[in-house]
Amino acid sequence: MSSYRFSAYVIRDGEGWAAVCPEFPDCRSCGATYEAALASLRELIRVFVEDGLGDDEPPPQHDELSFTTLSL
């Protein structure tokens, strides 16, 4: 498989951690530790990419990414 880059954010979620990949809206994982949540997300993204490539769909890639925090 080629090399791809995806964005991810990880948040503390109760007793563990939750990780999300915005490029794939249904791509979420969790883990007891920050590292475990990211490792789980990485494997899930791999499945999404391989499944898409099998259907001749390239994975979503963005040239620029901006992350910010909004206060209300």
Side-chain angles (χ1 to χ4, degrees):
M1 180 175 8
S2 297
S3 178
Y4 300 104
R5 292 177 57 140
F6 299 99
S7 55
Y9 64 89
V10 184
I11 58 171
R12 185 86 164 140
D13 184 21
E15 297 178 12
W17 293 85
V20 178
C21 177
E23 285 88 348
F24 297 102
D26 295 329
C27 192
R28 298 181 176 102
S29 70
C30 58
T33 65
Y34 180 94
E35 293 80 10
L38 274 181
S40 179
L41 183 66
R42 183 176 289 113
E43 289 307 311
L44 186 56
I45 291 170
R46 184 181 318 277
V47 170
F48 274 70
V49 170
E50 289 174 353
D51 186 51
L53 291 175
D55 293 337
D56 293 326
E57 297 174 12
Q61 295 287 276
H62 304 288
D63 292 334
E64 293 185 35
L65 174 66
S66 175
F67 183 81
T68 189
T69 301
L70 301 175
S71 297
L72 299 178

